[in-house]
mmCIF file of all heavy atoms in Angstrom:
data_model
loop_
_atom_site.group_PDB
_atom_site.id
_atom_site.type_symbol
_atom_site.label_atom_id
_atom_site.label_comp_id
_atom_site.label_asym_id
_atom_site.label_seq_id
_atom_site.Cartn_x
_atom_site.Cartn_y
_atom_site.Cartn_z
ATOM 1 N N ALA A 1 7.281 -15.600 -1.713
ATOM 2 C CA ALA A 1 5.951 -16.006 -1.284
ATOM 3 C C ALA A 1 6.053 -17.169 -0.302
ATOM 4 O O ALA A 1 6.572 -18.232 -0.645
ATOM 5 C CB ALA A 1 5.104 -16.408 -2.490
ATOM 6 N N ARG A 2 5.570 -16.959 0.915
ATOM 7 C CA ARG A 2 5.612 -18.005 1.947
ATOM 8 C C ARG A 2 4.737 -17.573 3.113
ATOM 9 O O ARG A 2 4.295 -16.424 3.197
ATOM 10 C CB ARG A 2 7.044 -18.221 2.439
ATOM 11 C CG ARG A 2 7.645 -17.002 3.136
ATOM 12 C CD ARG A 2 9.033 -17.274 3.667
ATOM 13 N NE ARG A 2 9.551 -16.149 4.430
ATOM 14 C CZ ARG A 2 9.325 -15.943 5.740
ATOM 15 N NH1 ARG A 2 8.575 -16.805 6.421
ATOM 16 N NH2 ARG A 2 9.833 -14.894 6.365
ATOM 17 N N ASP A 3 4.500 -18.496 4.033
ATOM 18 C CA ASP A 3 3.824 -18.125 5.264
ATOM 19 C C ASP A 3 4.681 -17.103 6.002
ATOM 20 O O ASP A 3 5.895 -17.276 6.123
ATOM 21 C CB ASP A 3 3.615 -19.358 6.156
ATOM 22 C CG ASP A 3 2.587 -20.327 5.593
ATOM 23 O OD1 ASP A 3 1.697 -19.864 4.865
ATOM 24 O OD2 ASP A 3 2.684 -21.538 5.865
ATOM 25 N N GLY A 4 4.068 -16.050 6.474
ATOM 26 C CA GLY A 4 4.814 -15.011 7.163
ATOM 27 C C GLY A 4 5.212 -13.860 6.270
ATOM 28 O O GLY A 4 5.825 -12.891 6.732
ATOM 29 N N MET A 5 4.869 -13.918 4.972
ATOM 30 C CA MET A 5 5.289 -12.867 4.053
ATOM 31 C C MET A 5 4.616 -11.529 4.368
ATOM 32 O O MET A 5 5.167 -10.472 4.068
ATOM 33 C CB MET A 5 5.028 -13.270 2.604
ATOM 34 C CG MET A 5 3.561 -13.428 2.240
ATOM 35 S SD MET A 5 3.314 -13.918 0.501
ATOM 36 C CE MET A 5 3.671 -12.388 -0.368
ATOM 37 N N LEU A 6 3.429 -11.562 4.988
ATOM 38 C CA LEU A 6 2.745 -10.308 5.300
ATOM 39 C C LEU A 6 3.518 -9.505 6.339
ATOM 40 O O LEU A 6 3.680 -8.292 6.205
ATOM 41 C CB LEU A 6 1.325 -10.588 5.803
ATOM 42 C CG LEU A 6 0.398 -11.336 4.836
ATOM 43 C CD1 LEU A 6 -0.998 -11.439 5.430
ATOM 44 C CD2 LEU A 6 0.355 -10.653 3.477
ATOM 45 N N LEU A 7 3.986 -10.195 7.369
ATOM 46 C CA LEU A 7 4.798 -9.504 8.380
ATOM 47 C C LEU A 7 6.110 -9.018 7.786
ATOM 48 O O LEU A 7 6.577 -7.917 8.093
ATOM 49 C CB LEU A 7 5.062 -10.432 9.567
ATOM 50 C CG LEU A 7 3.915 -10.604 10.571
ATOM 51 C CD1 LEU A 7 4.292 -11.616 11.640
ATOM 52 C CD2 LEU A 7 3.548 -9.278 11.216
ATOM 53 N N ASP A 8 6.724 -9.849 6.926
ATOM 54 C CA ASP A 8 7.957 -9.434 6.245
ATOM 55 C C ASP A 8 7.713 -8.146 5.451
ATOM 56 O O ASP A 8 8.528 -7.214 5.469
ATOM 57 C CB ASP A 8 8.444 -10.525 5.292
ATOM 58 C CG ASP A 8 8.990 -11.748 6.020
ATOM 59 O OD1 ASP A 8 9.261 -11.631 7.222
ATOM 60 O OD2 ASP A 8 9.136 -12.801 5.378
ATOM 61 N N MET A 9 6.583 -8.104 4.768
ATOM 62 C CA MET A 9 6.249 -6.963 3.931
ATOM 63 C C MET A 9 6.112 -5.685 4.755
ATOM 64 O O MET A 9 6.638 -4.626 4.402
ATOM 65 C CB MET A 9 4.951 -7.268 3.180
ATOM 66 C CG MET A 9 4.684 -6.385 1.985
ATOM 67 S SD MET A 9 3.259 -6.994 1.048
ATOM 68 C CE MET A 9 3.910 -8.534 0.413
ATOM 69 N N LEU A 10 5.403 -5.800 5.873
ATOM 70 C CA LEU A 10 5.220 -4.629 6.734
ATOM 71 C C LEU A 10 6.532 -4.194 7.363
ATOM 72 O O LEU A 10 6.810 -2.997 7.489
ATOM 73 C CB LEU A 10 4.188 -4.937 7.816
ATOM 74 C CG LEU A 10 2.743 -5.133 7.328
ATOM 75 C CD1 LEU A 10 1.835 -5.527 8.490
ATOM 76 C CD2 LEU A 10 2.214 -3.877 6.655
ATOM 77 N N ASP A 11 7.347 -5.169 7.760
ATOM 78 C CA ASP A 11 8.646 -4.836 8.354
ATOM 79 C C ASP A 11 9.531 -4.082 7.362
ATOM 80 O O ASP A 11 10.186 -3.086 7.705
ATOM 81 C CB ASP A 11 9.365 -6.106 8.825
ATOM 82 C CG ASP A 11 8.798 -6.648 10.126
ATOM 83 O OD1 ASP A 11 8.167 -5.860 10.861
ATOM 84 O OD2 ASP A 11 8.995 -7.839 10.408
ATOM 85 N N ILE A 12 9.586 -4.577 6.104
ATOM 86 C CA ILE A 12 10.399 -3.921 5.076
ATOM 87 C C ILE A 12 9.866 -2.523 4.790
ATOM 88 O O ILE A 12 10.625 -1.554 4.687
ATOM 89 C CB ILE A 12 10.423 -4.763 3.782
ATOM 90 C CG1 ILE A 12 11.148 -6.094 4.025
ATOM 91 C CG2 ILE A 12 11.099 -3.991 2.641
ATOM 92 C CD1 ILE A 12 11.007 -7.088 2.886
ATOM 93 N N ALA A 13 8.527 -2.417 4.665
ATOM 94 C CA ALA A 13 7.915 -1.119 4.381
ATOM 95 C C ALA A 13 8.197 -0.119 5.492
ATOM 96 O O ALA A 13 8.503 1.055 5.240
ATOM 97 C CB ALA A 13 6.410 -1.283 4.186
ATOM 98 N N ALA A 14 8.118 -0.589 6.744
ATOM 99 C CA ALA A 14 8.358 0.298 7.889
ATOM 100 C C ALA A 14 9.817 0.725 7.964
ATOM 101 O O ALA A 14 10.124 1.897 8.214
ATOM 102 C CB ALA A 14 7.947 -0.409 9.178
ATOM 103 N N ARG A 15 10.713 -0.212 7.707
ATOM 104 C CA ARG A 15 12.143 0.082 7.805
ATOM 105 C C ARG A 15 12.618 0.965 6.654
ATOM 106 O O ARG A 15 13.217 2.026 6.865
ATOM 107 C CB ARG A 15 12.923 -1.229 7.821
ATOM 108 C CG ARG A 15 14.445 -1.058 7.938
ATOM 109 C CD ARG A 15 15.140 -2.372 7.624
ATOM 110 N NE ARG A 15 14.969 -2.747 6.229
ATOM 111 C CZ ARG A 15 14.866 -3.999 5.810
ATOM 112 N NH1 ARG A 15 14.876 -5.002 6.670
ATOM 113 N NH2 ARG A 15 14.733 -4.262 4.519
ATOM 114 N N ASP A 16 12.337 0.518 5.416
ATOM 115 C CA ASP A 16 12.871 1.231 4.253
ATOM 116 C C ASP A 16 12.050 2.462 3.883
ATOM 117 O O ASP A 16 12.532 3.344 3.175
ATOM 118 C CB ASP A 16 12.952 0.282 3.055
ATOM 119 C CG ASP A 16 13.937 -0.858 3.293
ATOM 120 O OD1 ASP A 16 14.721 -0.769 4.258
ATOM 121 O OD2 ASP A 16 13.922 -1.834 2.515
ATOM 122 N N GLY A 17 10.804 2.514 4.351
ATOM 123 C CA GLY A 17 9.963 3.667 4.044
ATOM 124 C C GLY A 17 10.107 4.808 5.032
ATOM 125 O O GLY A 17 9.568 5.895 4.819
ATOM 126 N N LYS A 18 10.862 4.582 6.083
ATOM 127 C CA LYS A 18 10.981 5.582 7.145
ATOM 128 C C LYS A 18 11.515 6.935 6.681
ATOM 129 O O LYS A 18 11.093 7.978 7.183
ATOM 130 C CB LYS A 18 11.834 5.030 8.285
ATOM 131 C CG LYS A 18 11.647 5.798 9.585
ATOM 132 C CD LYS A 18 12.237 5.047 10.763
ATOM 133 C CE LYS A 18 11.933 5.787 12.063
ATOM 134 N NZ LYS A 18 12.444 5.057 13.246
ATOM 135 N N PRO A 19 12.456 6.994 5.713
ATOM 136 C CA PRO A 19 12.932 8.306 5.263
ATOM 137 C C PRO A 19 11.821 9.223 4.744
ATOM 138 O O PRO A 19 11.938 10.439 4.816
ATOM 139 C CB PRO A 19 13.915 7.959 4.138
ATOM 140 C CG PRO A 19 14.397 6.590 4.475
ATOM 141 C CD PRO A 19 13.211 5.899 5.063
ATOM 142 N N TRP A 20 10.746 8.649 4.209
ATOM 143 C CA TRP A 20 9.654 9.450 3.654
ATOM 144 C C TRP A 20 8.471 9.593 4.614
ATOM 145 O O TRP A 20 7.786 10.595 4.583
ATOM 146 C CB TRP A 20 9.153 8.828 2.348
ATOM 147 C CG TRP A 20 10.212 8.714 1.306
ATOM 148 C CD1 TRP A 20 10.826 9.731 0.647
ATOM 149 C CD2 TRP A 20 10.790 7.505 0.814
ATOM 150 N NE1 TRP A 20 11.746 9.251 -0.243
ATOM 151 C CE2 TRP A 20 11.755 7.869 -0.169
ATOM 152 C CE3 TRP A 20 10.593 6.146 1.065
ATOM 153 C CZ2 TRP A 20 12.509 6.933 -0.870
ATOM 154 C CZ3 TRP A 20 11.343 5.215 0.376
ATOM 155 C CH2 TRP A 20 12.296 5.603 -0.570
ATOM 156 N N VAL A 21 8.229 8.569 5.400
ATOM 157 C CA VAL A 21 7.047 8.598 6.282
ATOM 158 C C VAL A 21 7.469 8.328 7.721
ATOM 159 O O VAL A 21 6.792 7.600 8.458
ATOM 160 C CB VAL A 21 5.981 7.577 5.809
ATOM 161 C CG1 VAL A 21 5.365 8.014 4.491
ATOM 162 C CG2 VAL A 21 6.575 6.182 5.671
ATOM 163 N N GLY A 22 8.581 8.923 8.129
ATOM 164 C CA GLY A 22 9.101 8.684 9.470
ATOM 165 C C GLY A 22 8.128 9.038 10.558
ATOM 166 O O GLY A 22 8.081 8.380 11.609
ATOM 167 N N ASP A 23 7.298 10.075 10.311
ATOM 168 C CA ASP A 23 6.352 10.480 11.343
ATOM 169 C C ASP A 23 5.338 9.382 11.638
ATOM 170 O O ASP A 23 4.791 9.296 12.731
ATOM 171 C CB ASP A 23 5.630 11.758 10.918
ATOM 172 C CG ASP A 23 4.956 11.613 9.550
ATOM 173 O OD1 ASP A 23 5.494 10.886 8.693
ATOM 174 O OD2 ASP A 23 3.894 12.237 9.357
ATOM 175 N N LEU A 24 5.092 8.537 10.642
ATOM 176 C CA LEU A 24 4.141 7.437 10.831
ATOM 177 C C LEU A 24 4.691 6.388 11.786
ATOM 178 O O LEU A 24 3.945 5.650 12.417
ATOM 179 C CB LEU A 24 3.843 6.782 9.470
ATOM 180 C CG LEU A 24 2.713 5.754 9.396
ATOM 181 C CD1 LEU A 24 1.381 6.407 9.724
ATOM 182 C CD2 LEU A 24 2.669 5.118 8.012
ATOM 183 N N PHE A 25 6.040 6.360 11.905
ATOM 184 C CA PHE A 25 6.675 5.318 12.716
ATOM 185 C C PHE A 25 7.477 5.873 13.881
ATOM 186 O O PHE A 25 8.332 5.187 14.435
ATOM 187 C CB PHE A 25 7.596 4.472 11.823
ATOM 188 C CG PHE A 25 6.899 3.855 10.657
ATOM 189 C CD1 PHE A 25 7.156 4.294 9.359
ATOM 190 C CD2 PHE A 25 5.969 2.856 10.836
ATOM 191 C CE1 PHE A 25 6.507 3.742 8.276
ATOM 192 C CE2 PHE A 25 5.311 2.298 9.753
ATOM 193 C CZ PHE A 25 5.578 2.738 8.475
ATOM 194 N N ASP A 26 7.221 7.110 14.231
ATOM 195 C CA ASP A 26 7.972 7.713 15.329
ATOM 196 C C ASP A 26 7.859 6.917 16.621
ATOM 197 O O ASP A 26 8.811 6.808 17.391
ATOM 198 C CB ASP A 26 7.512 9.157 15.572
ATOM 199 C CG ASP A 26 8.076 10.102 14.518
ATOM 200 O OD1 ASP A 26 9.033 9.685 13.836
ATOM 201 O OD2 ASP A 26 7.551 11.212 14.385
ATOM 202 N N ASP A 27 6.676 6.358 16.854
ATOM 203 C CA ASP A 27 6.507 5.571 18.079
ATOM 204 C C ASP A 27 6.331 4.088 17.769
ATOM 205 O O ASP A 27 5.773 3.334 18.541
ATOM 206 C CB ASP A 27 5.304 6.075 18.875
ATOM 207 C CG ASP A 27 4.002 5.999 18.087
ATOM 208 O OD1 ASP A 27 4.073 5.727 16.874
ATOM 209 O OD2 ASP A 27 2.932 6.196 18.683
ATOM 210 N N PHE A 28 6.868 3.689 16.600
ATOM 211 C CA PHE A 28 6.737 2.305 16.152
ATOM 212 C C PHE A 28 7.764 1.398 16.834
ATOM 213 O O PHE A 28 8.919 1.752 16.973
ATOM 214 C CB PHE A 28 6.938 2.275 14.630
ATOM 215 C CG PHE A 28 7.113 0.901 14.061
ATOM 216 C CD1 PHE A 28 6.041 0.064 13.881
ATOM 217 C CD2 PHE A 28 8.373 0.444 13.705
ATOM 218 C CE1 PHE A 28 6.210 -1.198 13.346
ATOM 219 C CE2 PHE A 28 8.553 -0.813 13.174
ATOM 220 C CZ PHE A 28 7.458 -1.635 12.993
ATOM 221 N N ALA A 29 7.314 0.241 17.276
ATOM 222 C CA ALA A 29 8.224 -0.723 17.896
ATOM 223 C C ALA A 29 8.301 -2.023 17.109
ATOM 224 O O ALA A 29 9.340 -2.639 16.996
ATOM 225 C CB ALA A 29 7.813 -1.009 19.326
ATOM 226 N N GLY A 30 7.181 -2.454 16.549
ATOM 227 C CA GLY A 30 7.220 -3.687 15.780
ATOM 228 C C GLY A 30 5.847 -4.268 15.540
ATOM 229 O O GLY A 30 4.883 -3.944 16.241
ATOM 230 N N PHE A 31 5.748 -5.127 14.510
ATOM 231 C CA PHE A 31 4.498 -5.803 14.203
ATOM 232 C C PHE A 31 4.516 -7.211 14.785
ATOM 233 O O PHE A 31 5.559 -7.825 14.936
ATOM 234 C CB PHE A 31 4.320 -5.918 12.678
ATOM 235 C CG PHE A 31 4.101 -4.613 11.983
ATOM 236 C CD1 PHE A 31 5.140 -4.001 11.293
ATOM 237 C CD2 PHE A 31 2.866 -3.999 12.007
ATOM 238 C CE1 PHE A 31 4.948 -2.806 10.630
ATOM 239 C CE2 PHE A 31 2.657 -2.795 11.347
ATOM 240 C CZ PHE A 31 3.701 -2.200 10.654
ATOM 241 N N SER A 32 3.342 -7.735 15.072
ATOM 242 C CA SER A 32 3.217 -9.130 15.474
ATOM 243 C C SER A 32 1.848 -9.619 15.049
ATOM 244 O O SER A 32 0.920 -8.830 14.854
ATOM 245 C CB SER A 32 3.385 -9.293 16.994
ATOM 246 O OG SER A 32 2.382 -8.575 17.680
ATOM 247 N N VAL A 33 1.732 -10.934 14.883
ATOM 248 C CA VAL A 33 0.467 -11.507 14.432
ATOM 249 C C VAL A 33 -0.547 -11.450 15.556
ATOM 250 O O VAL A 33 -0.268 -11.841 16.688
ATOM 251 C CB VAL A 33 0.667 -12.970 13.983
ATOM 252 C CG1 VAL A 33 -0.664 -13.575 13.558
ATOM 253 C CG2 VAL A 33 1.675 -13.036 12.837
ATOM 254 N N GLY A 34 -1.743 -10.966 15.233
ATOM 255 C CA GLY A 34 -2.806 -10.906 16.223
ATOM 256 C C GLY A 34 -3.534 -12.226 16.339
ATOM 257 O O GLY A 34 -3.204 -13.207 15.676
ATOM 258 N N ALA A 35 -4.545 -12.238 17.144
ATOM 259 C CA ALA A 35 -5.256 -13.486 17.423
ATOM 260 C C ALA A 35 -6.300 -13.810 16.369
ATOM 261 O O ALA A 35 -6.740 -14.944 16.254
ATOM 262 C CB ALA A 35 -5.928 -13.394 18.793
ATOM 263 N N LEU A 36 -6.711 -12.824 15.574
ATOM 264 C CA LEU A 36 -7.825 -13.029 14.654
ATOM 265 C C LEU A 36 -7.347 -13.079 13.206
ATOM 266 O O LEU A 36 -7.235 -12.055 12.537
ATOM 267 C CB LEU A 36 -8.861 -11.901 14.826
ATOM 268 C CG LEU A 36 -9.429 -11.754 16.244
ATOM 269 C CD1 LEU A 36 -10.312 -10.514 16.309
ATOM 270 C CD2 LEU A 36 -10.206 -12.995 16.637
ATOM 271 N N GLY A 37 -7.023 -14.260 12.740
ATOM 272 C CA GLY A 37 -6.649 -14.443 11.346
ATOM 273 C C GLY A 37 -5.522 -13.535 10.913
ATOM 274 O O GLY A 37 -4.390 -13.678 11.361
ATOM 275 N N PHE A 38 -5.843 -12.559 10.034
ATOM 276 C CA PHE A 38 -4.816 -11.669 9.519
ATOM 277 C C PHE A 38 -4.754 -10.359 10.279
ATOM 278 O O PHE A 38 -4.267 -9.365 9.772
ATOM 279 C CB PHE A 38 -5.055 -11.405 8.022
ATOM 280 C CG PHE A 38 -4.782 -12.608 7.179
ATOM 281 C CD1 PHE A 38 -5.816 -13.349 6.650
ATOM 282 C CD2 PHE A 38 -3.489 -13.023 6.949
ATOM 283 C CE1 PHE A 38 -5.562 -14.464 5.889
ATOM 284 C CE2 PHE A 38 -3.221 -14.142 6.182
ATOM 285 C CZ PHE A 38 -4.269 -14.866 5.652
ATOM 286 N N SER A 39 -5.265 -10.353 11.492
ATOM 287 C CA SER A 39 -5.117 -9.142 12.295
ATOM 288 C C SER A 39 -3.660 -9.026 12.723
ATOM 289 O O SER A 39 -2.998 -10.011 13.020
ATOM 290 C CB SER A 39 -6.024 -9.189 13.529
ATOM 291 O OG SER A 39 -5.632 -10.219 14.403
ATOM 292 N N ILE A 40 -3.168 -7.812 12.708
ATOM 293 C CA ILE A 40 -1.776 -7.537 13.043
ATOM 294 C C ILE A 40 -1.748 -6.545 14.194
ATOM 295 O O ILE A 40 -2.477 -5.549 14.188
ATOM 296 C CB ILE A 40 -1.016 -6.935 11.844
ATOM 297 C CG1 ILE A 40 -1.191 -7.803 10.592
ATOM 298 C CG2 ILE A 40 0.441 -6.724 12.164
ATOM 299 C CD1 ILE A 40 -0.482 -9.129 10.631
ATOM 300 N N SER A 41 -0.914 -6.807 15.167
ATOM 301 C CA SER A 41 -0.743 -5.868 16.275
ATOM 302 C C SER A 41 0.491 -5.022 16.028
ATOM 303 O O SER A 41 1.523 -5.524 15.596
ATOM 304 C CB SER A 41 -0.582 -6.622 17.599
ATOM 305 O OG SER A 41 -1.783 -7.276 17.950
#
């Protein structure tokens, strides 16, 4: 638990979840913090 844990969570989910949901990330490049609070790009 720390600042930045949300991005860590999405990164881990995207990386380790790819064997099952690879189609969801076929054109995935990466997450980044958006300008509006917890918005994620």
Side-chain angles (χ1 to χ4, degrees):
R2 64 177 185 86
D3 290 333
M5 65 180 286
L6 300 185
L7 282 176
D8 289 344
M9 197 172 293
L10 292 176
D11 283 338
I12 294 170
R15 181 193 67 214
D16 296 347
K18 198 167 185 178
W20 301 292
V21 291
D23 55 327
L24 189 64
F25 303 110
D26 283 344
D27 59 351
F28 168 77
F31 292 102
S32 61
V33 178
L36 302 174
F38 290 105
S39 65
I40 308 290
S41 292

